[in-house]
Amino acid sequence: MATEAQPPSTADPAPEDRAALRDGLGVGVAVGLSGFAFGVTAAGAGLSAAQACAMSLLIFTGASQFALAGAVAAGGGPFAAAAGAFFLGVRNAFYGLRLAPMLRLPRALRPLAAQWVIDETAVVTIAQSTRRAQRIGFVVTGLTLYVCWNVTTLVGVLGAEAIGDTAAWGLDAAGPAVFLALVGPMLTGTVERATALVAVALVLGTLPALPAGTPVLVAALAAPLVLALHGRRTRGRAQGDPPDRTDGVDAHEAEGAA
């Protein structure tokens, strides 16, 4: 009995595309709402609405923006504030090296896409399984987050100006709280936690002696210090003998063998 030939099955790209769209919208909206906290922080630091909005439009990386506004609020000079923000933003260049071969965007679009190379777009893009889904995840996350972040920045700074003294309402703590919320999930390993602790120690130790905004630059030394110590310990373990067993354990094993 002849059977009817079945057409060859093809993979449906729709599920991957929908997953990328869902991830991009979710991350973009959730993180974009934090722009309100930055607007409040910027207003508390004495920045105008135009200055705060310009930072969100042009810098567009939350950690760097909070660091810059915090340094200004503490009375730091423009060089120290900008340097701290710059060092925090350098990591985005490494994200770009990872995303470029995945997205393979046309050369003309790369300068525009570079504005959206941040933590959130990198995470969503890398999580996708196909190049089409990766591009969708990158674009949707970047566009959603960019729009939400800038809108909520404006709302935050205007709201803070309307209520007056942000410290009296406790809103001056919004910036540090959001900054810790952004950094906290990254401290997943021993090296990361040790680096954070050393950085905090360096800041607290140099805060009384250095100008405002400068301790955060000193804190950047935490990473090479911890990595150097970790590398030395790793090499020592690789070159050394295996740890000796305790005499008690060896004695019991010898008795059992006898």
Side-chain angles (χ1 to χ4, degrees), residues 142-190:
L143 179 60
T144 305
L145 181 52
Y146 192 76
V147 172
C148 290
W149 181 269
N150 281 280
V151 170
T152 55
T153 294
L154 178 61
V155 173
V157 70
L158 293 180
E161 290 178 352
I163 64 175
D165 185 9
T166 56
W169 293 80
L171 296 179
D172 54 328
V178 173
F179 185 81
L180 291 176
L182 292 173
V183 174
M186 302 179 187
L187 307 180
T188 56
T190 303

Side-chain angles (χ1 to χ4, degrees), residues 46-76:
L47 299 177
S48 66
Q51 290 171 326
C53 290
M55 288 176 62
S56 287
L57 286 168
L58 301 177
I59 299 178
F60 186 55
T61 174
S64 296
Q65 293 181 229
F66 278 113
L68 196 154
V72 171

Side-chain angles (χ1 to χ4, degrees), residues 20 23 94-103 117-131 133-135 137-138 141:
D23 293 346
F94 295 96
Y95 292 151
L97 295 176
R98 179 69 176 90
L99 296 181
M102 299 176 65
L103 298 174
V117 177
I118 53 176
D119 300 319
E120 293 77 14
T121 55
V123 169
V124 173
T125 301
I126 294 173
Q128 310 310 316
S129 58
T130 65
R131 174 164 291 117
Q134 289 166 350
R135 289 179 172 179
F138 178 82
T141 306

Side-chain angles (χ1 to χ4, degrees), residues 159-229:
E161 290 178 352
I163 64 175
D165 185 9
T166 56
W169 293 80
L171 296 179
D172 54 328
V178 173
F179 185 81
L180 291 176
L182 292 173
V183 174
M186 302 179 187
L187 307 180
T188 56
T190 303
V191 174
E192 290 83 355
R193 295 187 186 117
T195 303
L197 291 176
V198 173
V200 171
L202 289 174
V203 169
L204 294 178
T206 57
L207 190 60
L210 296 180
T214 307
V216 70
L217 302 181
V218 178
L221 298 175
L225 289 175
V226 173
L227 290 176
L229 179 60

